[in-house]
Amino acid sequence: MTLNNTVRGIIDMTTPQHRSTCLRIAAATFGALVLTTVGAAAAIAADSAGDDSDVDVNVSISELTEPGVLAMSVAGTTTTLTESDSGDPLVREFSGQLPTVTVTDTRTADDIPDGAAWYVLGTAGDFVGSAGQQPIGAGHLGWVPRLIDGGDSGLVSEGPEVATVVDDHAAPDNVGLIDQELLANTWSSGDVAAEGSWTVTADLFLRTEKSVAAGDYSSTLTLSLFE
């Protein structure tokens, strides 16, 4: 016998008296459910006792105070050297301008350690030929730093001229920009911090022997800020 047949058999075998009793039980159960539901609804709809009370929630958020920083920026990422008169028939010279370098300090004097000093250094790589020419060593590149805005204190200075390896008259300082040459500095970071910013540039010059191979060359000049 399947499940459906069993169900039908139970219904057929129920007497009218039994059916009446079942209906009364079902009705009583339904009535109990209705009463329970109505009672729950009445509880929900009940009036609150007394007046409502409000609580104001307040918060005070202070402005974030970021610590000041010492930083450097450069106005450009490239410069081009063009040929100029070297004044020496045995030397070729190519000159240009370093993009403006800005040092900023947003720290307070209290944030700066006693005796702190900042300085900007420059180091150049060899000039590499675009067509496989013999490289021109970084010692052939020199500069003359020029302070644009050193502040009112007079405590920020430009670095000295750096001569190239072909400038025999400048020996023994004719080394070129091969190893962290000074562009600008101060010996007292705390005393100048209130000025906020300073700018400096440099006249660049590449000096080579007259026999240098023709063609395009490129080098990278790295500027670094230290304190």
Side-chain angles (χ1 to χ4, degrees):
M1 181 181 293
T2 66
L3 180 61
N4 289 336
N5 289 338
T6 301
V7 171
R8 284 199 297 272
I10 293 172
I11 293 172
D12 291 342
M13 291 169 61
T14 304
T15 64
Q17 181 179 359
H18 289 160
R19 286 199 296 271
S20 176
T21 302
C22 291
L23 288 172
R24 286 197 300 275
I25 294 172
T29 303
F30 177 75
L33 291 175
V34 171
L35 289 173
T36 302
T37 303
V38 171
I44 294 173
D47 294 335
S48 62
D51 296 332
D52 293 341
S53 296
D54 296 332
V55 176
D56 292 332
V57 180
N58 304 308
V59 62
S60 179
I61 300 177
S62 60
E63 183 177 354
L64 288 176
T65 301
E66 297 292 341
V69 295
L70 176 68
M72 179 186 71
S73 62
V74 183
T77 59
T78 184
T79 188
T80 300
L81 308 181
T82 57
E83 188 154 13
S84 55
D85 184 11
S86 69
D88 185 337
L90 300 179
V91 175
R92 296 185 69 176
E93 181 173 322
F94 307 84
S95 58
Q97 196 78 17
L98 180 71
T100 299
V101 177
T102 301
V103 176
T104 58
D105 196 347
T106 57
R107 301 172 297 177
T108 66
D110 292 339
D111 294 331
I112 302 172
D114 292 340
W118 59 255
Y119 47 99
V120 179
L121 304 179
T123 303
D126 292 345
F127 284 81
V128 178
S130 62
Q133 309 98 301
Q134 183 72 22
I136 302 172
H140 288 78
L141 180 66
W143 70 12
V144 179
R146 300 195 183 281
L147 202 59
I148 299 172
D149 182 0
D152 297 330
S153 67
L155 297 177
V156 175
S157 304
E158 62 197 23
E161 177 178 354
V162 177
T164 75
V165 294
V166 301
D167 298 316
D168 295 335
H169 65 278
D173 298 322
N174 57 333
V175 295
L177 300 180
I178 62 171
D179 187 23
Q180 296 187 324
E181 298 297 332
L182 182 64
L183 178 66
N185 79 302
T186 181
W187 294 113
S188 182
S189 299
D191 289 339
V192 301
E195 294 174 349
S197 68
W198 309 267
T199 51
V200 63
T201 184
D203 298 332
L204 300 174
F205 48 87
L206 175 70
R207 292 177 180 150
T208 70
E209 295 78 6
K210 195 168 185 178
S211 60
V212 66
D216 295 331
Y217 295 78
S218 63
S219 170
T220 298
L221 174 57
T222 302
L223 300 170
S224 304
L225 172 64
F226 298 93
E227 184 177 57

